[in-house]
Amino acid sequence: MTIYLVNIALLVLWAMLLMRSDTTYRRGCFVTFATIQWIVLSGFRHISVGDDTAQYGALFLATKPLPLEALTRDFFTIVFTESEDPGYYVFQRLTQFVISDYQLYLVLIAVLFMVPLGYFIYKYSSEPLISFLLFSVLFYEFFAVTGLRQTVATALVVLVGYHFVRARKLLLFLVLVLVAMTIHKSALVFLPFYFLANRQLTKAYILGMLGFIVTLFVFRGPFFEMLVTLSGYDTYDYMNGAGAINFSVMLLFVLFVALWRRDEILANNPSATHYFNALFLAACFLPLTFINPSMMRLVQYFTLFLILMIPEIIKTFERRERLLVYYAAVTLLVLLFLQDAPVYTFFWQ
């Protein structure tokens, strides 16, 4: 856990040195340092770090001797009729013509995710330190050390795709979604966001979405059956007692606080409408995690917008209150991380 704490300490240190005045240059320096730190942590990890790092390592070795034609044969048939993700295997095999070492491959995956994440935060976050701390506590375990396929798919459809959502470039967004779904089929669930992103937060709309979320929770079984083919696996089992309780409470709490402060949030940043609608969609998929916690992979596409929404909430408070909320948020995130006590080792250890 020590290296993770060093990472958080360095994030706070860079923010203290660089973010006293939030100029473009200082913000860029902070984001660059933070991005590099996470590339190092993600790319240089030991094969035992992360639930499936070793499994992806075995897959990497198994793909090496295969001719590319063996992976492209019946490509589109597989994409649209089976639960396999042939795009990932093609991507992996193509990179093996340049990178033959699995450790370097992990570095490449880290770059492909962390650089777009850094730009996402640089461009849209009102508090880059809070955004990186949120990633370092809530999201690193999945996107930095675990699911390689969905990490690449998320980088494409969310971190890059969001720029096309803002610019209202539907064709380019659809191309990204189609490419991402060949890498991990669950990326398709992000498609509705394009059409809902600019939906204005009228009282009728808010009440309708909250009612819809409750309805989905009540009828989560049929909803689960309908969406299971988007999971990236052949089947999902019903699991008694499933449910990401702590994360669900946190997400709903942030959503309700954001709705409470929505007038101030939208006055400061009209584009925050996107963040509200992303969290509404996250809450829609949340009932699935009470059937099988692995369905959190669908929720994750939308909950990444927490790293933009929470800074916007903090920004709505008056200066003295804002400082208190800011430091309280930093302290809470560090305490949450300490409670988790994750283990980390570098590949040479």
Side-chain angles (χ1 to χ4, degrees):
M1 183 176 67
T2 303
I3 190 63
Y4 285 129
L5 293 176
V6 170
N7 176 60
I8 289 175
L10 285 174
L11 290 176
V12 175
L13 176 62
W14 302 140
M16 291 174 61
L17 294 175
L18 296 170
M19 299 299 292
R20 290 180 180 273
S21 56
D22 191 1
T23 64
T24 300
Y25 174 75
R26 288 173 173 268
R27 169 183 284 250
C29 288
F30 171 77
V31 168
T32 299
F33 292 156
T35 300
I36 291 172
Q37 285 177 206
W38 267 113
I39 289 174
V40 170
L41 285 177
S42 179
F44 294 170
R45 70 186 185 270
H46 191 272
I47 199 168
S48 63
V49 177
D51 291 340
D52 52 14
T53 303
Q55 179 183 340
Y56 274 107
L59 181 64
F60 185 85
L61 294 175
T63 307
K64 260 187 180 183
L66 297 178
L68 187 60
E69 193 245 341
L71 300 173
T72 56
R73 191 184 306 124
D74 300 324
F75 183 90
F76 292 104
T77 302
I78 294 171
V79 168
F80 293 107
T81 63
E82 300 180 24
S83 61
E84 292 296 321
D85 302 308
Y88 175 77
Y89 299 105
V90 172
F91 163 76
Q92 181 175 250
R93 187 67 189 94
L94 288 172
T95 62
Q96 287 171 338
F97 289 114
V98 180
I99 297 173
S100 60
D101 181 74
Y102 181 56
Q103 199 68 52
L104 291 178
Y105 180 71
L106 290 179
V107 174
L108 173 65
I109 298 295
V111 170
L112 290 176
F113 183 83
M114 297 303 169
V115 171
L117 175 70
Y119 186 75
F120 185 74
I121 291 173
Y122 169 82
K123 189 77 173 175
Y124 305 119
S125 176
S126 59
E127 294 288 353
L129 172 61
I130 295 295
S131 294
F132 269 108
L133 287 177
L134 284 164
F135 176 80
S136 301
V137 174
L138 297 179
F139 300 108
Y140 82 95
E141 195 168 8
F142 189 84
F143 294 114
V145 299
T146 306
L148 269 62
R149 285 182 301 154
Q150 193 170 351
T151 295
V152 175
T154 302
L156 286 172
V157 79
V158 179
L159 301 179
V160 177
Y162 179 59
H163 306 303
F164 297 137
V165 172
R166 289 178 65 98
R168 308 311 294 165
K169 295 183 178 180
L170 177 59
L171 182 59
L172 291 173
F173 179 74
L174 287 175
V175 169
L176 279 177
V177 171
L178 289 173
V179 172
M181 71 169 284
T182 72
I183 295 172
H184 202 287
K185 281 188 175 61
S186 63
L188 190 60
V189 302
F190 197 67
L191 181 60
F193 179 66
Y194 183 93
F195 304 99
L196 283 178
N198 288 323
R199 187 69 167 79
Q200 295 304 301
L201 301 174
T202 63
K203 288 184 178 180
Y205 174 68
I206 292 171
L207 291 174
M209 285 300 294
L210 293 176
F212 185 58
I213 292 165
V214 172
T215 302
L216 289 175
F217 188 83
V218 173
F219 296 100
R220 58 189 179 274
F223 185 41
F224 173 83
E225 297 291 347
M226 184 179 68
L227 292 177
V228 73
T229 55
L230 300 176
S231 65
Y233 289 86
D234 292 329
T235 59
Y236 271 110
D237 295 325
Y238 283 76
M239 297 176 65
N240 293 329
I245 302 295
N246 292 337
F247 189 87
S248 300
V249 170
M250 183 276 297
L251 174 63
L252 293 175
F253 175 76
V254 171
L255 178 58
F256 282 115
V257 171
L259 289 172
W260 167 48
R261 309 288 293 183
R262 70 182 182 277
D263 291 338
E264 294 88 346
I265 291 173
L266 294 175
N268 290 331
N269 181 7
S271 294
T273 300
H274 302 162
Y275 315 157
F276 280 99
N277 285 311
L279 295 189
F280 273 135
L281 286 168
C284 285
F285 288 103
L286 201 58
L288 298 176
T289 67
F290 286 81
I291 294 176
N292 189 306
S294 294
M295 297 303 285
M296 181 62 74
R297 67 180 65 246
L298 302 183
V299 181
Q300 295 281 31
Y301 287 103
F302 305 102
T303 53
L304 265 178
F305 284 88
L306 285 169
I307 68 178
L308 302 182
M309 177 60 90
I310 291 177
E312 291 296 336
I313 293 173
I314 293 172
K315 193 177 177 181
T316 64
F317 291 91
E318 297 297 331
R319 180 169 177 78
R320 288 185 179 180
E321 293 176 331
R322 189 187 309 169
L323 285 173
L324 178 62
V325 173
Y326 185 94
Y327 290 121
V330 171
T331 303
L332 179 60
L333 288 171
V334 173
L335 289 175
L336 284 173
F337 184 80
L338 290 173
Q339 185 180 30
D340 192 34
V343 176
Y344 183 91
T345 51
F346 287 105
F347 72 90
W348 62 79
Q349 292 179 297

